[in-house]
Every structure is written in structure tokens, then in C-alpha cells.
Amino acid sequence: MTKRQEHILQIVKDHGPITGEQIAERLHLTRATLRPDLSILTMSGYLDARPRVGYFYAGKQAGTVISERLHKMLVNDYKAVPIVVQENASVYDAIVTLFLEDVGTLYVVNQKGYLAGVVSRKDLLRASLGNKGLEGIPVSIIMTRMPNIVTCAPEESLFMAAKKLIDFQIDSLPVVRPAEEDSRQSELIGRVTKTTIARAFVELGSEPFL
Amino acid sequence: MTKRQEHILQIVKDHGPITGEQIAERLHLTRATLRPDLSILTMSGYLDARPRVGYFYAGKQAGTVISERLHKMLVNDYKAVPIVVQENASVYDAIVTLFLEDVGTLYVVNQKGYLAGVVSRKDLLRASLGNKGLEGIPVSIIMTRMPNIVTCAPEESLFMAAKKLIDFQIDSLPVVRPAEEDSRQSELIGRVTKTTIARAFVELGSEPFL
């Protein structure tokens, strides 16, 4: 947007509905000079015009609308079921679970069922390279352990969750809340993955109306 | 939205800027009766109001704005560099490349450099289970082979690419165009993954203005 277009937009925001003549007057320009700018602003959706009324601001900018919508999508409404293995499960068991459940990341839970660690497809691939006795290696040896795990809360926005996935270069975020009986423990209530985000992206593009 | 709210919206679209009094008159209702509906329509962003001017339509609906924006994001502007291995590379080589490049999927190219197949982290994990001689197994044996690969074109929208990732339950889409010397061959020019989509999602939520 040019300086002049920004100026026009501000005038219409402050004084609209306002005629083209009146905008031109305020800018000490002719109506003809402004015509291209007004056309661009109208076509791009910033302004709307009505005969005998003039130009008025056509609402929030697209970026604001989109950003607001994204921040209103909550993790709790999009989270998937967490796929877990017990801390004492073997690497072999974990690989079988990964294939059966068709996921990229497994969450490891302790005896009380609280989140203890995370093990990725890559961790399992690394462990299986050259190792034969995968049945004898407990998954807790190769997992990333709490508290070194990035998690998210159910009331966080999906936008924040996506930002964590990108910023920390991870594929999966456990959705947790502090356990009732012991707030230092994390109760596992879901997972958000890049698949969750891609699905939300498709949903956003598919809904013509909210 | 109630019938009455839809009716009000239509009146404002057709006759706005229009005062609350005038809307009430058209509906044969009192201004007081309409107050809650006008509040809802204003708060939800459908209408905007200005003192001494009245109500006017606040622009396109949020869903339309978002959908339009998503369909305008092109694969070509978001694609990442494809990570490739040669058809005659071993499964072991492929695993090393996967770790070094930190990707989930490798594209396999033939001698002329055109797309021949795709091999996923899961394919490699499966192959490495119980197999010791990974250096002796060519990656072409375990890859998914053309034409059984879902691809996308650079001029497709990121929305369409995301939809393919979800619909076909895959993690990665090779971005291809027909080779100049032989249009049956696919020249590999990029990749779109769920990471690409998550990154675009974060970008969408981060830009207050377009």
C-alpha cells in the first residue's frame, strides 16, 4: 500500500462515510488523481462505496480476521487420543505399537499413568540400527524424559501449539494438565501433531462461512 | 444466526448506512426489541456502527476471507528443498541421509535425476527390523514406486496440498513438473510436508495485516 493509500484509508476510517470529493479536498488533490487509489482500495476490500453515500471502511483487515480466528481454535477441541506405552515396555514393543497405531511419536507413562517421556520414530530407528536384542532394551532408556518435554495445555490455542511444534522442531505435543493428586505430575489427555495442524488448516480453507 | 438477525443483516447490506430506528421501522418492531440483535451482529463483526450515521455492513464474513487467503497461498512459495537419494543407494545409506538431513521422507531419483519413488521413516524402520545387511539392500526394493505416489504441482494451492496430505494419510508430497525432454518423467522441484503446513499456519496467525 502506498503512503497516499494509507492516508486515504485513515481518512475514511475517521470520517466515513465520505465522498470521493471530500477525500480529495482533505488531501488537496483532484478527484481524478485519487480515482486509481480509490479503485485499488475498493477492489482489495479495504473500502466499500455506496452511491450518494460515499466510501466507508469495509471492516477489519483480512489478516486480523484470520489471526483472530486462529487464536480462537483451542487445543482441547482439536486434540487427538494419546498413544502410550508403559515405561517398562521394550523398544521392540514400542516399535510394534508405533506400527499398529500408525503414529510418529509414542508417549511413555509411569506406573501411575502419568507422562514420563516421549519416544519418536527416529529414536526407535536409531535404537534398532545394529541392535538385535530389542526385546531386552526398555523404552525408558531411549526416551526423552520429563521435564525435558515440550507440552501444551488444553486451553491453549492451536496457534500456540503449532508455534511450539515449529519453534522446537518437534512432531508431537502431549496435551497435559497437572494431576489432581500431585500437581508435579502431568496427566496425559491428548496429543497435538503436525497432522492435527494440517487438518485444522484444511478445515479453515473448507468453511466458507463461520 | 436467527431469522431476524439474517433479515437485519440483509436490510443493512441493501440500505446501509441505516439507523437502528429505520431498521426497526422496516421490521415493524420497536428499537428496544432490536437492541439485542444489533448488539450481537455488531459484536460478531457482521455490522459496524457509527454515531449519527448508523449501521453498515462490516465486510465479508470471516470464513470467506480466511478461505480466500488460504487458496491464494501457493505451493511454489512455501515448498522446501527435496531431500533425495539415488535409486541404487542402500537402505543403510538412506537411513544415514534421513538422520543427517533430519527429514521424515526421502525421495528416490533415477539416473536422470527424475522422481522414481518415495521412502518413509516407517519403511526404513520396517526394513531395519531384524535385518543386519542393510548395506546390501537397495532402497529401490522398499520404496513406493511411481506412479503410485501422490504429488503436487508448484501452481497448486497450499490448501490443496494439505488436503492431499490428510486425505491420503501421508507425511510428504513431492512437488513436481513434467520434464522438458520427456513429459512422462517428473522433475522434482520441492517438497511439501506437514511441517510446511504447520509453518504456514503459524504465519497466518502471526500476520495482523496483509
Side-chain angles (χ1 to χ4, degrees), chain A residues 125 129, chain B residues 83-86 88-108 119-121 123-124 134-135 137-140 142:
Chain A
L125 182 55
L129 275 183
Chain B
I83 308 298
V84 303
V85 290
Q86 298 293 321
N88 57 3
S90 70
V91 168
Y92 182 82
D93 290 339
I95 292 175
V96 170
T97 306
L98 189 103
F99 275 98
L100 286 179
E101 301 283 354
D102 197 19
V103 290
T105 307
L106 296 171
Y107 302 149
V108 184
V119 65
S120 71
R121 193 145 46 188
D123 296 329
L124 294 170
L134 296 176
E135 292 88 345
I137 308 172
V139 77
S140 55
I142 65 161

PDB file of all heavy atoms in Angstrom, chain A residues 125 129, chain B residues 83-86 88-108 119-121 123-124 134-135 137-140 142:
ATOM      1  N   LEU A 125      14.218 -45.848  15.407  1.00  0.00           N
ATOM      2  CA  LEU A 125      15.040 -46.236  14.257  1.00  0.00           C
ATOM      3  C   LEU A 125      16.502 -46.291  14.669  1.00  0.00           C
ATOM      4  O   LEU A 125      17.228 -47.241  14.348  1.00  0.00           O
ATOM      5  CB  LEU A 125      14.819 -45.231  13.120  1.00  0.00           C
ATOM      6  CG  LEU A 125      15.563 -45.473  11.802  1.00  0.00           C
ATOM      7  CD1 LEU A 125      15.281 -46.861  11.263  1.00  0.00           C
ATOM      8  CD2 LEU A 125      15.175 -44.423  10.761  1.00  0.00           C
ATOM      9  N   LEU A 129      19.018 -49.788  14.837  1.00  0.00           N
ATOM     10  CA  LEU A 129      20.163 -49.934  13.928  1.00  0.00           C
ATOM     11  C   LEU A 129      21.259 -50.763  14.599  1.00  0.00           C
ATOM     12  O   LEU A 129      21.856 -50.333  15.583  1.00  0.00           O
ATOM     13  CB  LEU A 129      20.743 -48.567  13.564  1.00  0.00           C
ATOM     14  CG  LEU A 129      20.086 -47.833  12.396  1.00  0.00           C
ATOM     15  CD1 LEU A 129      20.810 -46.537  12.123  1.00  0.00           C
ATOM     16  CD2 LEU A 129      20.042 -48.700  11.152  1.00  0.00           C
TER      17      LEU A 129
ATOM     18  N   ILE B  83      14.804 -33.698  -0.414  1.00  0.00           N
ATOM     19  CA  ILE B  83      15.988 -34.457   0.007  1.00  0.00           C
ATOM     20  C   ILE B  83      15.948 -35.794  -0.736  1.00  0.00           C
ATOM     21  O   ILE B  83      14.980 -36.548  -0.599  1.00  0.00           O
ATOM     22  CB  ILE B  83      15.994 -34.693   1.526  1.00  0.00           C
ATOM     23  CG1 ILE B  83      15.789 -33.360   2.285  1.00  0.00           C
ATOM     24  CG2 ILE B  83      17.294 -35.376   1.960  1.00  0.00           C
ATOM     25  CD1 ILE B  83      16.863 -32.326   2.052  1.00  0.00           C
ATOM     26  N   VAL B  84      16.982 -36.067  -1.523  1.00  0.00           N
ATOM     27  CA  VAL B  84      16.930 -37.228  -2.415  1.00  0.00           C
ATOM     28  C   VAL B  84      18.071 -38.212  -2.167  1.00  0.00           C
ATOM     29  O   VAL B  84      19.124 -37.851  -1.645  1.00  0.00           O
ATOM     30  CB  VAL B  84      16.984 -36.800  -3.910  1.00  0.00           C
ATOM     31  CG1 VAL B  84      15.855 -35.837  -4.225  1.00  0.00           C
ATOM     32  CG2 VAL B  84      18.321 -36.186  -4.260  1.00  0.00           C
ATOM     33  N   VAL B  85      17.805 -39.471  -2.540  1.00  0.00           N
ATOM     34  CA  VAL B  85      18.860 -40.486  -2.643  1.00  0.00           C
ATOM     35  C   VAL B  85      18.730 -41.136  -4.019  1.00  0.00           C
ATOM     36  O   VAL B  85      17.654 -41.119  -4.630  1.00  0.00           O
ATOM     37  CB  VAL B  85      18.769 -41.581  -1.541  1.00  0.00           C
ATOM     38  CG1 VAL B  85      19.116 -41.012  -0.173  1.00  0.00           C
ATOM     39  CG2 VAL B  85      17.381 -42.219  -1.524  1.00  0.00           C
ATOM     40  N   GLN B  86      19.836 -41.679  -4.498  1.00  0.00           N
ATOM     41  CA  GLN B  86      19.816 -42.379  -5.785  1.00  0.00           C
ATOM     42  C   GLN B  86      19.125 -43.732  -5.624  1.00  0.00           C
ATOM     43  O   GLN B  86      19.173 -44.338  -4.555  1.00  0.00           O
ATOM     44  CB  GLN B  86      21.250 -42.599  -6.299  1.00  0.00           C
ATOM     45  CG  GLN B  86      22.021 -41.305  -6.554  1.00  0.00           C
ATOM     46  CD  GLN B  86      21.449 -40.512  -7.713  1.00  0.00           C
ATOM     47  OE1 GLN B  86      21.045 -41.087  -8.726  1.00  0.00           O
ATOM     48  NE2 GLN B  86      21.387 -39.191  -7.565  1.00  0.00           N
ATOM     49  N   ASN B  88      20.015 -46.567  -6.592  1.00  0.00           N
ATOM     50  CA  ASN B  88      20.907 -47.676  -6.220  1.00  0.00           C
ATOM     51  C   ASN B  88      21.551 -47.503  -4.838  1.00  0.00           C
ATOM     52  O   ASN B  88      22.400 -48.303  -4.442  1.00  0.00           O
ATOM     53  CB  ASN B  88      21.982 -47.890  -7.297  1.00  0.00           C
ATOM     54  CG  ASN B  88      22.797 -46.622  -7.546  1.00  0.00           C
ATOM     55  OD1 ASN B  88      22.580 -45.609  -6.859  1.00  0.00           O
ATOM     56  ND2 ASN B  88      23.707 -46.675  -8.499  1.00  0.00           N
ATOM     57  N   ALA B  89      21.144 -46.468  -4.091  1.00  0.00           N
ATOM     58  CA  ALA B  89      21.646 -46.300  -2.723  1.00  0.00           C
ATOM     59  C   ALA B  89      21.117 -47.449  -1.866  1.00  0.00           C
ATOM     60  O   ALA B  89      20.066 -48.012  -2.146  1.00  0.00           O
ATOM     61  CB  ALA B  89      21.194 -44.962  -2.155  1.00  0.00           C
ATOM     62  N   SER B  90      21.857 -47.790  -0.806  1.00  0.00           N
ATOM     63  CA  SER B  90      21.413 -48.869   0.078  1.00  0.00           C
ATOM     64  C   SER B  90      20.446 -48.334   1.126  1.00  0.00           C
ATOM     65  O   SER B  90      20.365 -47.115   1.357  1.00  0.00           O
ATOM     66  CB  SER B  90      22.619 -49.496   0.785  1.00  0.00           C
ATOM     67  OG  SER B  90      23.142 -48.567   1.724  1.00  0.00           O
ATOM     68  N   VAL B  91      19.714 -49.235   1.754  1.00  0.00           N
ATOM     69  CA  VAL B  91      18.821 -48.856   2.845  1.00  0.00           C
ATOM     70  C   VAL B  91      19.637 -48.168   3.947  1.00  0.00           C
ATOM     71  O   VAL B  91      19.192 -47.178   4.536  1.00  0.00           O
ATOM     72  CB  VAL B  91      18.079 -50.100   3.398  1.00  0.00           C
ATOM     73  CG1 VAL B  91      17.385 -49.785   4.716  1.00  0.00           C
ATOM     74  CG2 VAL B  91      17.079 -50.616   2.363  1.00  0.00           C
ATOM     75  N   TYR B  92      20.849 -48.676   4.167  1.00  0.00           N
ATOM     76  CA  TYR B  92      21.716 -48.074   5.180  1.00  0.00           C
ATOM     77  C   TYR B  92      22.035 -46.617   4.826  1.00  0.00           C
ATOM     78  O   TYR B  92      21.905 -45.716   5.663  1.00  0.00           O
ATOM     79  CB  TYR B  92      23.006 -48.894   5.324  1.00  0.00           C
ATOM     80  CG  TYR B  92      23.927 -48.347   6.396  1.00  0.00           C
ATOM     81  CD1 TYR B  92      23.733 -48.657   7.738  1.00  0.00           C
ATOM     82  CD2 TYR B  92      24.964 -47.490   6.059  1.00  0.00           C
ATOM     83  CE1 TYR B  92      24.555 -48.141   8.721  1.00  0.00           C
ATOM     84  CE2 TYR B  92      25.800 -46.952   7.038  1.00  0.00           C
ATOM     85  CZ  TYR B  92      25.584 -47.288   8.367  1.00  0.00           C
ATOM     86  OH  TYR B  92      26.400 -46.765   9.335  1.00  0.00           O
ATOM     87  N   ASP B  93      22.418 -46.378   3.570  1.00  0.00           N
ATOM     88  CA  ASP B  93      22.697 -45.014   3.102  1.00  0.00           C
ATOM     89  C   ASP B  93      21.474 -44.107   3.309  1.00  0.00           C
ATOM     90  O   ASP B  93      21.595 -42.948   3.712  1.00  0.00           O
ATOM     91  CB  ASP B  93      23.034 -44.997   1.602  1.00  0.00           C
ATOM     92  CG  ASP B  93      24.383 -45.643   1.310  1.00  0.00           C
ATOM     93  OD1 ASP B  93      25.209 -45.723   2.244  1.00  0.00           O
ATOM     94  OD2 ASP B  93      24.583 -46.071   0.154  1.00  0.00           O
ATOM     95  N   ALA B  94      20.316 -44.664   3.011  1.00  0.00           N
ATOM     96  CA  ALA B  94      19.074 -43.888   3.122  1.00  0.00           C
ATOM     97  C   ALA B  94      18.843 -43.479   4.578  1.00  0.00           C
ATOM     98  O   ALA B  94      18.486 -42.336   4.869  1.00  0.00           O
ATOM     99  CB  ALA B  94      17.892 -44.689   2.586  1.00  0.00           C
ATOM    100  N   ILE B  95      19.076 -44.430   5.495  1.00  0.00           N
ATOM    101  CA  ILE B  95      18.879 -44.131   6.921  1.00  0.00           C
ATOM    102  C   ILE B  95      19.847 -43.037   7.372  1.00  0.00           C
ATOM    103  O   ILE B  95      19.467 -42.108   8.086  1.00  0.00           O
ATOM    104  CB  ILE B  95      19.032 -45.413   7.780  1.00  0.00           C
ATOM    105  CG1 ILE B  95      17.873 -46.368   7.478  1.00  0.00           C
ATOM    106  CG2 ILE B  95      19.063 -45.074   9.271  1.00  0.00           C
ATOM    107  CD1 ILE B  95      17.973 -47.727   8.163  1.00  0.00           C
ATOM    108  N   VAL B  96      21.099 -43.135   6.917  1.00  0.00           N
ATOM    109  CA  VAL B  96      22.091 -42.115   7.272  1.00  0.00           C
ATOM    110  C   VAL B  96      21.639 -40.746   6.749  1.00  0.00           C
ATOM    111  O   VAL B  96      21.674 -39.742   7.467  1.00  0.00           O
ATOM    112  CB  VAL B  96      23.489 -42.492   6.717  1.00  0.00           C
ATOM    113  CG1 VAL B  96      24.459 -41.319   6.865  1.00  0.00           C
ATOM    114  CG2 VAL B  96      24.033 -43.723   7.438  1.00  0.00           C
ATOM    115  N   THR B  97      21.183 -40.703   5.488  1.00  0.00           N
ATOM    116  CA  THR B  97      20.713 -39.445   4.902  1.00  0.00           C
ATOM    117  C   THR B  97      19.539 -38.871   5.691  1.00  0.00           C
ATOM    118  O   THR B  97      19.475 -37.669   5.975  1.00  0.00           O
ATOM    119  CB  THR B  97      20.276 -39.661   3.431  1.00  0.00           C
ATOM    120  OG1 THR B  97      21.351 -40.275   2.719  1.00  0.00           O
ATOM    121  CG2 THR B  97      19.909 -38.348   2.763  1.00  0.00           C
ATOM    122  N   LEU B  98      18.617 -39.754   6.072  1.00  0.00           N
ATOM    123  CA  LEU B  98      17.440 -39.341   6.841  1.00  0.00           C
ATOM    124  C   LEU B  98      17.843 -38.661   8.145  1.00  0.00           C
ATOM    125  O   LEU B  98      17.303 -37.618   8.515  1.00  0.00           O
ATOM    126  CB  LEU B  98      16.597 -40.583   7.130  1.00  0.00           C
ATOM    127  CG  LEU B  98      15.219 -40.366   7.739  1.00  0.00           C
ATOM    128  CD1 LEU B  98      14.156 -40.543   6.661  1.00  0.00           C
ATOM    129  CD2 LEU B  98      14.958 -41.342   8.861  1.00  0.00           C
ATOM    130  N   PHE B  99      18.853 -39.257   8.819  1.00  0.00           N
ATOM    131  CA  PHE B  99      19.313 -38.672  10.085  1.00  0.00           C
ATOM    132  C   PHE B  99      20.069 -37.372   9.846  1.00  0.00           C
ATOM    133  O   PHE B  99      19.842 -36.379  10.531  1.00  0.00           O
ATOM    134  CB  PHE B  99      20.203 -39.664  10.855  1.00  0.00           C
ATOM    135  CG  PHE B  99      19.406 -40.618  11.686  1.00  0.00           C
ATOM    136  CD1 PHE B  99      19.119 -41.890  11.220  1.00  0.00           C
ATOM    137  CD2 PHE B  99      18.917 -40.228  12.930  1.00  0.00           C
ATOM    138  CE1 PHE B  99      18.377 -42.765  11.983  1.00  0.00           C
ATOM    139  CE2 PHE B  99      18.168 -41.107  13.703  1.00  0.00           C
ATOM    140  CZ  PHE B  99      17.890 -42.378  13.223  1.00  0.00           C
ATOM    141  N   LEU B 100      20.955 -37.375   8.855  1.00  0.00           N
ATOM    142  CA  LEU B 100      21.763 -36.184   8.591  1.00  0.00           C
ATOM    143  C   LEU B 100      20.887 -35.009   8.193  1.00  0.00           C
ATOM    144  O   LEU B 100      21.104 -33.878   8.610  1.00  0.00           O
ATOM    145  CB  LEU B 100      22.783 -36.463   7.480  1.00  0.00           C
ATOM    146  CG  LEU B 100      23.975 -37.342   7.858  1.00  0.00           C
ATOM    147  CD1 LEU B 100      24.890 -37.542   6.653  1.00  0.00           C
ATOM    148  CD2 LEU B 100      24.764 -36.707   9.015  1.00  0.00           C
ATOM    149  N   GLU B 101      19.879 -35.277   7.356  1.00  0.00           N
ATOM    150  CA  GLU B 101      19.041 -34.191   6.840  1.00  0.00           C
ATOM    151  C   GLU B 101      17.858 -33.899   7.758  1.00  0.00           C
ATOM    152  O   GLU B 101      17.158 -32.907   7.558  1.00  0.00           O
ATOM    153  CB  GLU B 101      18.529 -34.541   5.437  1.00  0.00           C
ATOM    154  CG  GLU B 101      19.636 -34.801   4.426  1.00  0.00           C
ATOM    155  CD  GLU B 101      20.277 -33.507   3.921  1.00  0.00           C
ATOM    156  OE1 GLU B 101      19.779 -32.411   4.269  1.00  0.00           O
ATOM    157  OE2 GLU B 101      21.264 -33.602   3.170  1.00  0.00           O
ATOM    158  N   ASP B 102      17.655 -34.778   8.738  1.00  0.00           N
ATOM    159  CA  ASP B 102      16.569 -34.620   9.692  1.00  0.00           C
ATOM    160  C   ASP B 102      15.209 -34.449   9.010  1.00  0.00           C
ATOM    161  O   ASP B 102      14.489 -33.479   9.242  1.00  0.00           O
ATOM    162  CB  ASP B 102      16.852 -33.423  10.624  1.00  0.00           C
ATOM    163  CG  ASP B 102      15.979 -33.486  11.865  1.00  0.00           C
ATOM    164  OD1 ASP B 102      15.461 -34.577  12.177  1.00  0.00           O
ATOM    165  OD2 ASP B 102      15.791 -32.438  12.516  1.00  0.00           O
ATOM    166  N   VAL B 103      14.883 -35.384   8.137  1.00  0.00           N
ATOM    167  CA  VAL B 103      13.579 -35.376   7.469  1.00  0.00           C
ATOM    168  C   VAL B 103      12.847 -36.682   7.714  1.00  0.00           C
ATOM    169  O   VAL B 103      13.436 -37.651   8.197  1.00  0.00           O
ATOM    170  CB  VAL B 103      13.714 -35.155   5.943  1.00  0.00           C
ATOM    171  CG1 VAL B 103      14.153 -33.729   5.632  1.00  0.00           C
ATOM    172  CG2 VAL B 103      14.656 -36.169   5.312  1.00  0.00           C
ATOM    173  N   GLY B 104      11.579 -36.715   7.396  1.00  0.00           N
ATOM    174  CA  GLY B 104      10.767 -37.905   7.624  1.00  0.00           C
ATOM    175  C   GLY B 104      10.631 -38.764   6.385  1.00  0.00           C
ATOM    176  O   GLY B 104      10.301 -39.943   6.473  1.00  0.00           O
ATOM    177  N   THR B 105      10.860 -38.174   5.227  1.00  0.00           N
ATOM    178  CA  THR B 105      10.662 -38.877   3.965  1.00  0.00           C
ATOM    179  C   THR B 105      11.775 -38.511   2.995  1.00  0.00           C
ATOM    180  O   THR B 105      12.179 -37.355   2.910  1.00  0.00           O
ATOM    181  CB  THR B 105       9.311 -38.481   3.336  1.00  0.00           C
ATOM    182  OG1 THR B 105       8.274 -38.675   4.310  1.00  0.00           O
ATOM    183  CG2 THR B 105       8.985 -39.315   2.110  1.00  0.00           C
ATOM    184  N   LEU B 106      12.264 -39.529   2.274  1.00  0.00           N
ATOM    185  CA  LEU B 106      13.283 -39.286   1.239  1.00  0.00           C
ATOM    186  C   LEU B 106      12.675 -39.570  -0.127  1.00  0.00           C
ATOM    187  O   LEU B 106      11.841 -40.471  -0.269  1.00  0.00           O
ATOM    188  CB  LEU B 106      14.470 -40.226   1.437  1.00  0.00           C
ATOM    189  CG  LEU B 106      15.289 -40.073   2.717  1.00  0.00           C
ATOM    190  CD1 LEU B 106      16.278 -41.238   2.829  1.00  0.00           C
ATOM    191  CD2 LEU B 106      16.019 -38.736   2.723  1.00  0.00           C
ATOM    192  N   TYR B 107      13.087 -38.784  -1.110  1.00  0.00           N
ATOM    193  CA  TYR B 107      12.659 -39.051  -2.473  1.00  0.00           C
ATOM    194  C   TYR B 107      13.791 -39.787  -3.178  1.00  0.00           C
ATOM    195  O   TYR B 107      14.964 -39.465  -3.007  1.00  0.00           O
ATOM    196  CB  TYR B 107      12.329 -37.749  -3.205  1.00  0.00           C
ATOM    197  CG  TYR B 107      11.243 -36.945  -2.505  1.00  0.00           C
ATOM    198  CD1 TYR B 107      11.220 -35.563  -2.575  1.00  0.00           C
ATOM    199  CD2 TYR B 107      10.249 -37.590  -1.767  1.00  0.00           C
ATOM    200  CE1 TYR B 107      10.232 -34.827  -1.931  1.00  0.00           C
ATOM    201  CE2 TYR B 107       9.263 -36.869  -1.122  1.00  0.00           C
ATOM    202  CZ  TYR B 107       9.267 -35.485  -1.204  1.00  0.00           C
ATOM    203  OH  TYR B 107       8.290 -34.769  -0.570  1.00  0.00           O
ATOM    204  N   VAL B 108      13.409 -40.792  -3.954  1.00  0.00           N
ATOM    205  CA  VAL B 108      14.394 -41.584  -4.669  1.00  0.00           C
ATOM    206  C   VAL B 108      14.369 -41.164  -6.136  1.00  0.00           C
ATOM    207  O   VAL B 108      13.293 -41.103  -6.740  1.00  0.00           O
ATOM    208  CB  VAL B 108      14.083 -43.095  -4.525  1.00  0.00           C
ATOM    209  CG1 VAL B 108      15.168 -43.930  -5.190  1.00  0.00           C
ATOM    210  CG2 VAL B 108      13.934 -43.478  -3.050  1.00  0.00           C
ATOM    211  N   VAL B 119      10.525 -43.014  -0.011  1.00  0.00           N
ATOM    212  CA  VAL B 119      10.747 -43.946   1.085  1.00  0.00           C
ATOM    213  C   VAL B 119      10.598 -43.182   2.408  1.00  0.00           C
ATOM    214  O   VAL B 119      11.156 -42.094   2.582  1.00  0.00           O
ATOM    215  CB  VAL B 119      12.121 -44.663   0.936  1.00  0.00           C
ATOM    216  CG1 VAL B 119      13.282 -43.703   1.053  1.00  0.00           C
ATOM    217  CG2 VAL B 119      12.257 -45.797   1.926  1.00  0.00           C
ATOM    218  N   SER B 120       9.764 -43.731   3.286  1.00  0.00           N
ATOM    219  CA  SER B 120       9.445 -43.037   4.540  1.00  0.00           C
ATOM    220  C   SER B 120      10.263 -43.599   5.693  1.00  0.00           C
ATOM    221  O   SER B 120      10.836 -44.683   5.599  1.00  0.00           O
ATOM    222  CB  SER B 120       7.968 -43.189   4.862  1.00  0.00           C
ATOM    223  OG  SER B 120       7.699 -44.522   5.257  1.00  0.00           O
ATOM    224  N   ARG B 121      10.275 -42.870   6.792  1.00  0.00           N
ATOM    225  CA  ARG B 121      10.945 -43.295   8.017  1.00  0.00           C
ATOM    226  C   ARG B 121      10.383 -44.648   8.454  1.00  0.00           C
ATOM    227  O   ARG B 121      11.099 -45.502   8.944  1.00  0.00           O
ATOM    228  CB  ARG B 121      10.678 -42.233   9.092  1.00  0.00           C
ATOM    229  CG  ARG B 121      11.529 -42.331  10.316  1.00  0.00           C
ATOM    230  CD  ARG B 121      11.861 -40.967  10.874  1.00  0.00           C
ATOM    231  NE  ARG B 121      10.689 -40.075  10.942  1.00  0.00           N
ATOM    232  CZ  ARG B 121      10.769 -38.784  11.249  1.00  0.00           C
ATOM    233  NH1 ARG B 121      11.926 -38.231  11.506  1.00  0.00           N
ATOM    234  NH2 ARG B 121       9.688 -38.047  11.283  1.00  0.00           N
ATOM    235  N   ASP B 123       9.071 -46.989   6.430  1.00  0.00           N
ATOM    236  CA  ASP B 123       9.607 -48.017   5.524  1.00  0.00           C
ATOM    237  C   ASP B 123      10.997 -48.448   5.979  1.00  0.00           C
ATOM    238  O   ASP B 123      11.325 -49.635   5.981  1.00  0.00           O
ATOM    239  CB  ASP B 123       9.730 -47.475   4.089  1.00  0.00           C
ATOM    240  CG  ASP B 123       8.386 -47.120   3.461  1.00  0.00           C
ATOM    241  OD1 ASP B 123       7.385 -47.772   3.813  1.00  0.00           O
ATOM    242  OD2 ASP B 123       8.348 -46.189   2.631  1.00  0.00           O
ATOM    243  N   LEU B 124      11.811 -47.461   6.370  1.00  0.00           N
ATOM    244  CA  LEU B 124      13.189 -47.745   6.777  1.00  0.00           C
ATOM    245  C   LEU B 124      13.235 -48.483   8.103  1.00  0.00           C
ATOM    246  O   LEU B 124      14.043 -49.389   8.301  1.00  0.00           O
ATOM    247  CB  LEU B 124      14.001 -46.450   6.851  1.00  0.00           C
ATOM    248  CG  LEU B 124      14.204 -45.748   5.497  1.00  0.00           C
ATOM    249  CD1 LEU B 124      14.807 -44.356   5.689  1.00  0.00           C
ATOM    250  CD2 LEU B 124      15.085 -46.581   4.574  1.00  0.00           C
ATOM    251  N   LEU B 134      21.963 -54.183   5.963  1.00  0.00           N
ATOM    252  CA  LEU B 134      21.259 -53.048   5.361  1.00  0.00           C
ATOM    253  C   LEU B 134      22.077 -52.380   4.256  1.00  0.00           C
ATOM    254  O   LEU B 134      21.527 -51.713   3.386  1.00  0.00           O
ATOM    255  CB  LEU B 134      20.895 -52.020   6.438  1.00  0.00           C
ATOM    256  CG  LEU B 134      19.915 -52.508   7.507  1.00  0.00           C
ATOM    257  CD1 LEU B 134      19.699 -51.434   8.565  1.00  0.00           C
ATOM    258  CD2 LEU B 134      18.587 -52.906   6.872  1.00  0.00           C
ATOM    259  N   GLU B 135      23.414 -52.594   4.299  1.00  0.00           N
ATOM    260  CA  GLU B 135      24.262 -52.007   3.255  1.00  0.00           C
ATOM    261  C   GLU B 135      24.025 -52.706   1.912  1.00  0.00           C
ATOM    262  O   GLU B 135      24.317 -52.122   0.861  1.00  0.00           O
ATOM    263  CB  GLU B 135      25.761 -52.131   3.605  1.00  0.00           C
ATOM    264  CG  GLU B 135      26.211 -51.283   4.783  1.00  0.00           C
ATOM    265  CD  GLU B 135      26.051 -52.011   6.107  1.00  0.00           C
ATOM    266  OE1 GLU B 135      25.334 -53.057   6.144  1.00  0.00           O
ATOM    267  OE2 GLU B 135      26.616 -51.556   7.110  1.00  0.00           O
ATOM    268  N   ILE B 137      21.043 -53.982   0.791  1.00  0.00           N
ATOM    269  CA  ILE B 137      19.675 -53.897   0.261  1.00  0.00           C
ATOM    270  C   ILE B 137      19.481 -52.551  -0.431  1.00  0.00           C
ATOM    271  O   ILE B 137      19.585 -51.512   0.210  1.00  0.00           O
ATOM    272  CB  ILE B 137      18.642 -54.035   1.395  1.00  0.00           C
ATOM    273  CG1 ILE B 137      18.922 -55.287   2.243  1.00  0.00           C
ATOM    274  CG2 ILE B 137      17.221 -54.060   0.833  1.00  0.00           C
ATOM    275  CD1 ILE B 137      18.065 -55.382   3.491  1.00  0.00           C
ATOM    276  N   PRO B 138      19.194 -52.533  -1.746  1.00  0.00           N
ATOM    277  CA  PRO B 138      18.975 -51.241  -2.399  1.00  0.00           C
ATOM    278  C   PRO B 138      17.639 -50.636  -1.970  1.00  0.00           C
ATOM    279  O   PRO B 138      16.656 -51.356  -1.769  1.00  0.00           O
ATOM    280  CB  PRO B 138      18.976 -51.573  -3.893  1.00  0.00           C
ATOM    281  CG  PRO B 138      18.782 -53.032  -3.993  1.00  0.00           C
ATOM    282  CD  PRO B 138      19.115 -53.664  -2.678  1.00  0.00           C
ATOM    283  N   VAL B 139      17.640 -49.318  -1.843  1.00  0.00           N
ATOM    284  CA  VAL B 139      16.460 -48.622  -1.365  1.00  0.00           C
ATOM    285  C   VAL B 139      15.279 -48.797  -2.327  1.00  0.00           C
ATOM    286  O   VAL B 139      14.118 -48.741  -1.934  1.00  0.00           O
ATOM    287  CB  VAL B 139      16.806 -47.127  -1.115  1.00  0.00           C
ATOM    288  CG1 VAL B 139      16.886 -46.353  -2.413  1.00  0.00           C
ATOM    289  CG2 VAL B 139      15.845 -46.490  -0.146  1.00  0.00           C
ATOM    290  N   SER B 140      15.594 -49.073  -3.602  1.00  0.00           N
ATOM    291  CA  SER B 140      14.531 -49.215  -4.607  1.00  0.00           C
ATOM    292  C   SER B 140      13.617 -50.409  -4.315  1.00  0.00           C
ATOM    293  O   SER B 140      12.493 -50.471  -4.799  1.00  0.00           O
ATOM    294  CB  SER B 140      15.133 -49.344  -6.010  1.00  0.00           C
ATOM    295  OG  SER B 140      16.048 -50.416  -6.043  1.00  0.00           O
ATOM    296  N   ILE B 142      12.452 -51.255  -1.278  1.00  0.00           N
ATOM    297  CA  ILE B 142      11.458 -50.963  -0.243  1.00  0.00           C
ATOM    298  C   ILE B 142      10.661 -49.684  -0.512  1.00  0.00           C
ATOM    299  O   ILE B 142       9.705 -49.373   0.184  1.00  0.00           O
ATOM    300  CB  ILE B 142      12.113 -50.855   1.170  1.00  0.00           C
ATOM    301  CG1 ILE B 142      13.075 -49.653   1.240  1.00  0.00           C
ATOM    302  CG2 ILE B 142      12.854 -52.137   1.537  1.00  0.00           C
ATOM    303  CD1 ILE B 142      13.361 -49.226   2.676  1.00  0.00           C
TER     304      ILE B 142
END
